[in-house]
Amino acid sequence: MPIFFISSLFMEPASSSFQRAAWKRLKKNRGAVFGLIIIGLSIGVALFAYFMAPDPSPFANRIILETGGEKPGFRKQFLKLKKDREVGHTGFFHRLVSGKEDRYTYIPVNSYTLSGDSIIAGKYIDEGVTERVAYPLSSAAPVPVTEKIFLLGTDKYGRDILSRIIVGTRVSLGVGLITVILSLSIGLVLGSLAGYYRGRTDDIIMWFINIIWSIPTLLLVFAITLALGKGFWQVFIAIGLTMWVNMARLVRGQVLAVRELEYIEATRALGFSGIRTIVRHIWPNIMGPVMVIAASNFASAIVIEAGLSFLGIGVQPPQPSWGLMIKENYNFIITQNPMLALAPGFAIMLLVLAFNLLGNGLRDALNVRGRI
């Protein structure tokens, strides 16, 4: 009896009994459940980043140079002054996608007093250094002074590390998603054609795969990035175009094995076209190993993007990327505040671990040989 597994990405619904059995096996795997929880939380954080981040400004890019390089738990009072121009109201969807522009300028202060129609403050310059400043009360916010706590500290520009990690989750999940989509699209098509038709088609596709395989991944990413240019979408596409080879080789091997089974021979006897046989009868039965490789590619893409951003050819400032944050703050590792670089490193490690654990769990849950 053929074993049918059809992903929700494809045409026909999977057998409900198989889905229940696979989900039951997956729930018993504690590592996979842990990975699934972390991934779910990360998706929620990415979607509502600007509502969760202490700094909801676009790219969490509120620069306050006086408070740069502070340790986790740093606490400071800020005087809020109106900007020279009026900042309009930000709607829900605009804030959801792009954040909310600050309506006030934040001035760090050690102390302040109200004197008539003025506010007199001791502006914080550096540790033990204060400058006396005065502003009209009309230029300040209705509540002129607020206190902020930077749970993970601030980078050298005074930006909140926690906020930039939260917003940077979008980049890591985005690059993984684009990579999986591209690798699935290219790998499934080429691998299926090579494995099903064999002969000259297989020789040509495998020759092309071996050429791409022989080029170091990082070098190929460099070349594609230089051709497309630096930027947010460019690095996503560059990484995606280099990670389909593993998928294609796996799919080819799976198709070579499945095409010799009786039910595939039956489709040929019934006169079904090769494309229909591949899409409707072969793909559903090889989705288990494909999903495992997809999870692995997701994790690998996160690491590659972080590496490219660290080298300066990935996501460009001021957009936050975990790799870019490590680059901007790695010199603090050997000085007074290593957490500025370690925090985004821990975030990368946790998310990559989650996808690897989920991939291992999917491999076990979808491996039904000998179970049915």
Side-chain angles (χ1 to χ4, degrees):
M1 289 289 292
I3 302 166
F4 290 94
F5 171 76
I6 305 181
S7 169
S8 60
L9 297 175
F10 293 90
M11 294 182 176
E12 300 174 359
S15 165
S16 59
S17 60
F18 178 77
Q19 283 184 335
R20 287 194 297 269
W23 175 242
K24 185 176 180 180
R25 288 192 291 270
L26 187 66
K27 288 192 297 183
K28 291 181 180 179
N29 189 320
R30 294 183 179 180
V33 172
F34 172 78
L36 199 58
I37 291 173
I38 295 299
I39 293 168
L41 290 175
S42 299
I43 294 173
V45 168
L47 289 175
F48 300 100
Y50 286 113
F51 289 94
M52 301 176 64
D55 175 10
S57 63
F59 302 136
N61 193 42
R62 183 188 294 157
I63 296 176
I64 308 173
L65 294 176
E66 293 87 351
T67 59
E70 297 292 346
K71 294 183 179 181
F74 173 68
R75 184 190 301 261
K76 178 58 64 177
Q77 288 183 321
F78 290 91
L79 174 63
K80 299 194 297 183
L81 299 178
K82 296 177 182 178
K83 291 188 173 182
D84 296 336
R85 59 183 180 83
E86 185 70 22
V87 177
H89 174 72
T90 302
F92 173 83
F93 290 105
H94 186 275
R95 180 174 178 179
L96 182 71
V97 175
S98 304
K100 179 178 68 173
E101 184 180 356
D102 285 333
R103 301 180 63 185
Y104 303 103
T105 300
Y106 289 80
I107 306 295
V109 297
N110 287 332
S111 61
Y112 72 97
T113 57
L114 299 177
S115 178
D117 60 351
S118 299
I119 180 168
I120 301 172
K123 181 180 178 181
Y124 174 83
I125 302 298
D126 203 348
E127 192 68 33
V129 181
T130 302
E131 177 186 0
R132 185 177 183 274
V133 294
Y135 298 97
L137 198 57
S138 60
S139 67
V143 180
V145 177
T146 184
E147 185 178 69
K148 292 187 176 295
I149 302 175
F150 300 91
L151 295 179
L152 294 181
T154 60
D155 65 10
K156 61 183 179 180
Y157 301 107
R159 298 175 296 193
D160 181 33
I161 289 291
L162 177 60
S163 298
R164 290 181 66 78
I165 287 178
I166 290 174
V167 178
T169 306
R170 291 186 169 189
V171 174
S172 294
L173 290 180
V175 70
L177 180 61
I178 297 298
T179 296
V180 168
I181 291 174
L182 287 176
S183 64
L184 273 175
S185 301
I186 301 174
L188 272 176
V189 171
L190 292 184
S192 299
L193 292 177
Y196 186 81
Y197 290 106
R198 298 189 298 186
R200 179 167 295 183
T201 302
D202 186 22
D203 293 339
I204 294 174
I205 293 176
M206 287 307 300
W207 173 83
F208 180 60
I209 289 175
N210 289 332
I211 292 294
I212 301 298
W213 188 270
S214 66
I215 303 174
T217 301
L218 200 56
L219 182 61
L220 188 58
V221 170
F222 285 166
I224 297 175
T225 302
L226 292 175
L228 298 177
K230 299 178 182 179
F232 181 71
W233 292 108
Q234 289 88 332
V235 69
F236 284 15
I237 296 173
I239 296 173
L241 290 177
T242 60
M243 301 196 67
W244 59 268
V245 177
N246 283 339
M247 184 71 69
R249 291 171 66 91
L250 170 77
V251 170
R252 174 182 177 271
Q254 293 291 318
V255 172
L256 283 173
V258 172
R259 75 183 302 277
E260 304 300 332
L261 298 179
E262 290 83 356
Y263 73 97
I264 299 299
E265 293 181 3
T267 63
R268 289 194 287 267
L270 292 171
F272 292 170
S273 66
I275 299 300
R276 175 175 175 174
T277 299
I278 290 171
V279 173
R280 296 177 63 90
H281 302 283
I282 293 181
W283 280 1
N285 291 281
I286 64 173
M287 279 299 108
V290 167
M291 290 180 69
V292 175
I293 293 295
S296 175
N297 282 352
F298 211 119
S300 299
I302 293 172
V303 175
I304 292 175
E305 182 279 323
L308 291 176
S309 296
F310 182 85
L311 295 174
I313 60 174
V315 175
Q316 298 300 299
Q319 186 165 10
S321 161
W322 292 344
L324 183 60
M325 292 174 66
I326 296 176
K327 176 189 176 183
E328 293 174 342
N329 300 296
Y330 74 93
N331 58 316
F332 287 99
I333 293 178
I334 58 174
T335 58
Q336 76 279 10
N337 196 359
M339 187 53 66
L340 298 184
L342 294 179
F346 287 144
I348 295 171
M349 180 189 71
L350 184 61
L351 193 55
V352 170
L353 176 64
F355 276 103
N356 284 331
L357 290 175
L358 178 61
N360 291 337
L362 287 173
R363 178 196 62 201
D364 297 336
L366 299 174
N367 181 19
V368 294
R369 292 182 180 179
R371 296 179 185 267
I372 295 179

